Amino acid sequence: MHPTDFTLRGAIEALTEGTISAEELTRAHLDAIERLNPRLNAYITVTAEQALEQAKASDERRRQGLAGPLEGVPLAIKDLFCTKGVRTTAGSRILGNFVPPYESTVSANLLRDGAVFLGKANLDEFAMGSSNATSAFGPVENPWSRRNDPETKLVPGGSSGGSAAAVAARLALGATATDTGGSIRQPAAFCGVAGIKPTYGRCSRFGIVAFASSLDQAGPVARTVEDCAILLRSMSGFDPKDSTSADVPVPDFAAACTRSVKGLRIGVPKEYRIEGMPAEIEALWRQGLEWLRDAGAELVEISLPHTKYALPTYYIVAPAEASSNLARYDGVRYGLRVEERGDDLTDLYERTRAAGFGAEVKRRIMIGTYVLSAGYYDAYYLKAQKVRALIKRDFDQAWDKVDAIVTPATPSAAFGMNEKTDDPVTMYLNDVFTVTANLAGLPGLAVPAGLDAQGLPLGLQVIGRAFDEETVFAVGAALERSANFTALPAVRVGA
Amino acid sequence: MQAELNGILGWIEQLQAVPTEGVEPMAGGGAVSMRMREDVVTDGGIRDAILANAPDREGDYFGVPKVVE
């Protein structure tokens, strides 16, 4: 077996048994990156030297009996997490030269537990996108391709497209990602891997470049549900540096993966049966529910009546918060500065922001500024906050009847790089099944569950109660066992 | 860009159809209310770290074009 084919759990066992060293495991991944990253563009920055140093230090800690829970595990870090001394771009020209003098809490937690960082994963600019096409560092190619049309390059989804593609192609055992409207779950589904957005407040946002602060959450992408559980445990935890960090205990998520789903009530929201949904997605959803029923769960039809308003609500709230958060990029304190002789301060701001931000980011800043402006605040922003409350209330009422909700993860399989790019609203519809969990602050897990007729992966989503990731993992792992998803992408190491 | 923005604004307009009378707007992302903390200095003395990424540094200050005539 090629060392890059280990699951994260399998790698931890091999490292513990001593059948492989962290250095060997890291070298295997760096070799894989060297071979495949020029094509996939999953990493913006590869930190090979630092990774090898970390791996050697990890092997030394293990020799001394000081192995942490992730000792020697090579990971990709989404380039939205600040990494001390390593360039952090957020996929934007405006941060193209930014080298953080501090470490994000989530990545610091992973280092504390012994992880090795291979590099910084590509993403949509400022995490705004569903195809990774808005990255200033070029698009990421999905390692999967259509069976009867292998030449068409597909998107990996977004915004965590680099994270998902790297994990699928065996360029990392797992990766950090972030999810504001579906940015972990949609790319995970498109790339045939697992990914969880935990409850808002579970992972600290400190040191993660901010997009929409009331929606942003960090989470892992990995090749199995259990691997996600292992990573999430390390990433989570109370952090006084994030005022919205939840001071709650972090359970053993991996242990929850072996829990039975017998007797669990699984909600099937009728509003998620959307018009124009491909028959294959509908069929996979039905199949997933049957698997759970066969495993002893009870299926309950529920109603989440405000579902259809979730996307427009999101596209008011998220741009509003983004327009405020991105005001900091002014060319003065860090990042890009563009100025010409004789410029005053306003010219400097304008020139810097015009050159530094891409089209999608500019669109969202302008929409956000508009919905927050004096004459429109009540009609748009306040209205959206109220509808958001109703969307959350729908879920609150559903939890009286069910323990988890199962839906498709995405309304389609991965699409071609040149498809769906002309109309922003069409692109926004990618997040139709995922965005509700962000608005309500709930955990959502994407699990690869099958293939479409073209041989592309399709995912199911499990949504749970706030801070009940354990039930989400139990249901996700049950789906994973039944689906027995063993298909592999065309582009991967060892292929 | 103008057509795209109008398209997006037209699309979000559908929220006006939702009855929201008496609904408390949801501001944050979590159920937990904000914590208070002691009003003390918890950080500081990291001038060089703060200035490390400055595009234009003048001594211990960020450099900008002349602001006051």
Side-chain angles (χ1 to χ4, degrees):
Chain A
M1 188 177 89
H2 198 272
T4 55
D5 280 332
F6 277 118
T7 60
L8 192 143
R9 158 81 184 275
I12 291 172
E13 285 169 2
L15 286 160
T16 307
E17 289 161 9
T19 51
I20 194 165
S21 69
E23 190 182 340
E24 288 164 332
L25 191 59
T26 300
R27 273 190 203 284
H29 281 90
L30 290 171
D31 290 347
I33 293 168
E34 202 176 298
R35 261 186 49 212
L36 292 182
N37 198 54
R39 169 168 178 181
L40 296 175
N41 201 28
Y43 286 87
I44 292 175
T45 305
V46 180
T47 52
E49 237 169 80
Q50 185 187 290
L52 286 170
E53 277 168 31
Q54 287 174 341
K56 286 175 194 166
S58 168
D59 286 328
E60 185 53 36
R61 281 195 297 275
R62 189 176 293 283
R63 266 192 291 277
Q64 293 172 8
L66 302 170
L70 292 176
E71 198 59 65
V73 171
L75 301 175
I77 304 298
K78 186 179 184 179
D79 208 14
L80 201 64
F81 292 80
C82 287
T83 41
K84 189 174 181 176
V86 174
R87 182 174 76 141
T88 300
T89 69
S92 181
R93 275 186 299 279
I94 212 157
L95 285 176
N97 61 1
F98 177 59
V99 179
Y102 58 90
E103 188 79 27
S104 83
T105 296
V106 163
S107 53
N109 289 348
L110 292 169
L111 291 172
R112 171 204 66 203
D113 284 356
V116 171
F117 292 169
L118 297 163
K120 306 299 292 289
N122 206 340
L123 69 158
D124 279 298
E125 185 177 6
F126 282 103
M128 297 177 191
S130 305
S131 66
N132 217 116
T134 71
S135 170
F137 297 85
V140 175
E141 183 185 339
N142 191 324
W144 294 78
S145 48
R146 291 174 183 144
R147 204 175 277 146
N148 68 352
D149 177 21
E151 297 308 310
T152 296
K153 291 185 175 182
L154 306 178
V155 304
S159 68
S160 310
S163 300
V167 170
R170 273 81 182 138
L171 306 187
L173 289 178
T176 67
T178 61
D179 190 315
T180 305
S183 280
I184 290 175
R185 292 159 287 161
Q186 186 253 15
F190 275 17
C191 293
V193 295
I196 181 169
K197 178 201 92 73
T199 310
Y200 185 82
R202 181 64 93 179
C203 292
S204 169
R205 290 180 298 107
F206 176 79
I208 299 173
V209 177
F211 162 15
S213 305
S214 79
L215 301 160
D216 297 344
Q217 253 303 285
V221 169
R223 290 195 290 268
T224 71
V225 171
E226 186 189 29
D227 287 357
C228 284
I230 293 169
L231 284 173
L232 183 61
R233 190 183 192 184
S234 287
M235 292 166 71
S236 299
F238 175 62
D239 178 14
K241 286 190 255 182
D242 171 3
S243 63
T244 60
S245 171
D247 194 359
V248 295
V250 178
D252 182 351
F253 297 123
C257 295
T258 59
R259 277 191 199 171
S260 164
V261 297
K262 201 168 175 174
L264 282 183
R265 298 164 303 167
I266 303 295
V268 187
K270 62 178 185 198
E271 290 81 4
Y272 282 59
R273 228 167 267 130
I274 56 167
E275 219 175 294
M277 180 157 76
E280 289 169 309
I281 302 233
E282 172 102 44
L284 181 81
W285 189 13
R286 206 173 306 127
Q287 174 69 76
L289 295 169
E290 276 168 29
W291 286 331
L292 292 173
R293 194 176 49 206
D294 292 347
E298 180 195 344
L299 305 182
V300 182
E301 175 155 295
I302 57 167
S303 175
L304 300 167
H306 294 88
T307 298
K308 72 167 177 170
Y309 301 111
L311 272 175
T313 300
Y314 176 83
Y315 276 97
I316 293 172
V317 173
E321 294 184 14
S323 73
S324 169
N325 272 327
L326 271 60
R328 71 189 67 172
Y329 303 103
D330 57 6
V332 172
R333 289 154 301 159
Y334 49 83
L336 179 76
R337 167 183 293 203
V338 180
E339 66 180 322
E340 287 181 14
R341 256 179 109 86
D343 273 2
D344 65 16
L345 192 57
T346 306
D347 297 329
L348 183 147
Y349 293 155
E350 290 179 356
R351 247 188 255 286
T352 298
R353 290 168 68 82
F357 292 134
E360 181 61 25
V361 173
K362 284 176 185 161
R363 264 199 288 276
R364 298 207 195 182
I365 290 174
M366 287 166 78
I367 293 281
T369 310
Y370 179 76
V371 300
L372 289 174
S373 60
Y376 298 97
Y377 183 91
D378 286 4
Y380 288 113
Y381 188 62
L382 195 65
K383 184 77 182 180
Q385 285 186 309
K386 288 178 179 175
V387 180
R388 183 177 181 184
L390 293 174
I391 290 164
K392 181 173 181 295
R393 187 196 288 172
D394 286 351
F395 280 105
D396 290 344
Q397 289 168 349
W399 301 132
D400 292 337
K401 303 187 193 84
V402 298
D403 303 302
I405 294 169
V406 172
T407 76
T410 58
S412 75
F415 47 88
M417 281 189 176
N418 299 316
E419 300 160 17
K420 297 201 194 192
T421 47
D422 38 351
D423 174 31
V425 174
T426 308
M427 189 64 91
Y428 296 170
L429 296 178
N430 267 287
D431 292 335
V432 64
F433 297 133
T434 48
V435 74
T436 49
N438 299 83
L439 290 167
L442 303 173
L445 167 75
V447 192
L451 298 175
D452 74 359
Q454 299 281 354
L456 296 181
L458 298 172
L460 290 172
Q461 176 183 223
V462 185
I463 301 172
R465 291 187 180 93
F467 298 106
D468 188 18
E469 285 87 354
E470 289 170 280
T471 300
V472 171
F473 277 120
V475 174
L479 287 171
E480 184 182 52
R481 281 191 296 273
S482 299
N484 189 25
F485 185 88
T486 53
L488 292 167
V491 182
R492 65 177 198 281
V493 187
Chain B
M1 173 80 88
Q2 197 181 340
E4 286 166 357
L5 293 180
N6 281 331
I8 297 167
L9 289 172
W11 176 66
I12 61 182
E13 198 63 38
Q14 56 178 298
L15 285 195
Q16 304 310 325
V18 187
T20 52
E21 234 182 68
V23 177
E24 201 59 37
M26 180 175 169
V32 201
S33 59
M34 290 285 189
R35 286 185 312 280
M36 301 294 278
R37 69 165 178 85
E38 291 300 309
D39 184 15
V40 291
V41 176
T42 57
D43 204 352
I46 50 168
R47 184 184 55 212
D48 284 337
I50 288 168
L51 286 161
N53 280 282
D56 180 16
R57 177 179 173 169
E58 289 177 22
D60 289 340
Y61 301 93
F62 294 105
V64 291
K66 192 171 167 188
V67 177
V68 183
E69 290 303 324

